[in-house]
Amino acid sequence: KNIKALNGSIEIQSEKGKGTKFSVSLPLTLAIVDGMATKVGDQTYIIPLLNIVESLKPQKDKIKTVNENVEVMFIRGEYIPLLRLKQCLLTEGAKGVDDLSEGIAIIVEVENVKVALFVDELLGQLQVVIKNLEDNYKPVEGLSGASILGDGSVALIIDLQGLVDMSQRENK
């Protein structure tokens, strides 16, 4: 039933004296990701769990601004760029926490580069099925797809490499 629900199929081939072969086929567009659900304003974002190192409450005295617009956070002897998800994925009428003491910093690592993503709150860990944005909308830099949550709302799935590339290009 679960495989049929995913538009997949099972093929069974049996040969007397040799054994049975089960072939499970699933659509190529189907991808499931383990992620941390976060909230920024009214929008839910999923951050891939494999990339998360830790999460913590940022301390204002550990945050510095360099080059006039780049925020860095000093943690465990190193400076890590701080990306405010609200600003990186700016949408019209974007809401969300601005005060660092009210949100959460999620330290992620992408290809040996650590960054801290600033979000309003953590909602919890979950598995989501990725729906491709290009098929249903258009490519959006910093997002790898979307998912429909159990309550019917849409969560956007963060493309961490795309987000890091975008912020480096814009010197943020």
Side-chain angles (χ1 to χ4, degrees), residues 41-93:
D42 297 333
Q43 183 61 55
T44 302
Y45 293 99
I46 307 292
I47 299 170
L49 211 51
L50 288 173
N51 299 95
I52 296 176
V53 176
E54 65 180 305
S55 58
L56 51 93
K57 276 277 203 200
Q59 297 173 349
K60 286 184 182 183
D61 62 330
K62 303 283 185 189
I63 308 288
K64 306 286 182 222
T65 303
V66 294
N67 295 342
E68 296 180 22
N69 66 340
V70 178
E71 288 181 296
V72 293
M73 186 165 75
F74 188 73
I75 182 167
R76 291 181 185 59
E78 64 181 321
Y79 285 97
I80 299 172
L82 178 71
L83 303 177
R84 295 174 185 253
L85 214 50
K86 172 185 169 183
Q87 292 173 348
C88 291
L89 301 172
L90 195 60
T91 56
E92 281 187 38

Side-chain angles (χ1 to χ4, degrees), residues 90-110:
L90 195 60
T91 56
E92 281 187 38
K95 298 176 186 167
V97 173
D98 287 316
D99 186 352
L100 291 169
S101 64
E102 294 179 22
I104 300 283
I106 302 171
I107 312 300
V108 297
E109 189 168 3
V110 183

Side-chain angles (χ1 to χ4, degrees), residues 91 131-141 143 146 156:
T91 56
K131 301 285 187 188
N132 191 333
L133 281 177
E134 292 179 35
D135 293 345
N136 301 302
Y137 181 59
K138 65 180 181 180
V140 179
E141 192 173 21
L143 298 176
L156 299 172

